[in-house]
Amino acid sequence: MLFNKKSVSAVLYLGLILAGGAGVAKAQVIDTVQATIPFQFQAGLAVFPAGTYTIRSVDTLVPSEMEIRSIDGRKSALFIVESDQAKQAPENSELIFEKVGDRFSLENIFDGGSAYGDEVVGYKHEKHLTMEAAAQQVTVPATHAGM
């Protein structure tokens, strides 16, 4: 026999690790997206003026950390996301903001054609604070950077 019990266990363990990692990567936006946002908004803890921004995963090994950066490179911030699933896959890539009064907060990032995307962590806490306020969702189209 070519394989012993120890080597079979190691191969099975490695397969489980790789399968688990593939599930995490599949469930989140990993490409760089770009969008022109026509209003001031909050992403994580940072506030940004209207403008064109790129959003990307900082490290494909840590898909929960993302960076938003103005196209001119003058303003950027890191924020944390967790995987999210839309009820229906958007046809095109998009950013979803929640508007409460005159304040916009980045809520979700979705790649076109996939129901799997990202939800900005910390946003859920804000959502509980604004549950009583009249909130509405605003969608901003996005493209893959360089397209």
Side-chain angles (χ1 to χ4, degrees), residues 43-46 48 56 58 65-68 76-80:
L45 299 175
F48 293 88
R56 68 179 183 89
V58 175
E65 186 176 45
M66 298 193 85
E67 176 190 48
I68 184 167
S76 68
L78 299 177
F79 60 96
I80 304 297

Side-chain angles (χ1 to χ4, degrees), residues 52-109:
T52 302
Y53 294 88
T54 59
I55 299 175
R56 68 179 183 89
S57 180
V58 175
D59 184 345
T60 56
L61 296 175
V62 186
S64 63
E65 186 176 45
M66 298 193 85
E67 176 190 48
I68 184 167
R69 178 178 296 274
S70 61
I71 202 72
D72 64 7
R74 292 182 183 195
K75 180 115 172 127
S76 68
L78 299 177
F79 60 96
I80 304 297
V81 296
E82 61 187 23
S83 61
D84 194 16
Q85 185 172 0
K87 292 177 186 169
Q88 183 175 354
E91 192 173 312
N92 298 304
S93 297
E94 62 186 25
L95 306 179
I96 300 173
F97 294 84
E98 183 164 279
K99 180 182 183 214
V100 177
D102 61 351
R103 187 169 156 226
F104 294 84
S105 296
L106 179 60
E107 177 182 19
N108 295 94
I109 305 160

Side-chain angles (χ1 to χ4, degrees), residues 5 10 23 25 28 31 33 40 51 53 72 78 87 89-90 96 133 144:
K5 188 175 180 181
Q28 296 184 326
D31 292 326
V33 295
Q40 179 177 317
Y53 294 88
D72 64 7
L78 299 177
K87 292 177 186 169
I96 300 173
H144 290 275

Side-chain angles (χ1 to χ4, degrees), residues 27-51:
Q28 296 184 326
V29 176
I30 56 173
D31 292 326
T32 300
V33 295
Q34 181 173 312
T36 299
I37 303 163
F39 43 77
Q40 179 177 317
F41 66 98
Q42 182 174 343
L45 299 175
V47 176
F48 293 88

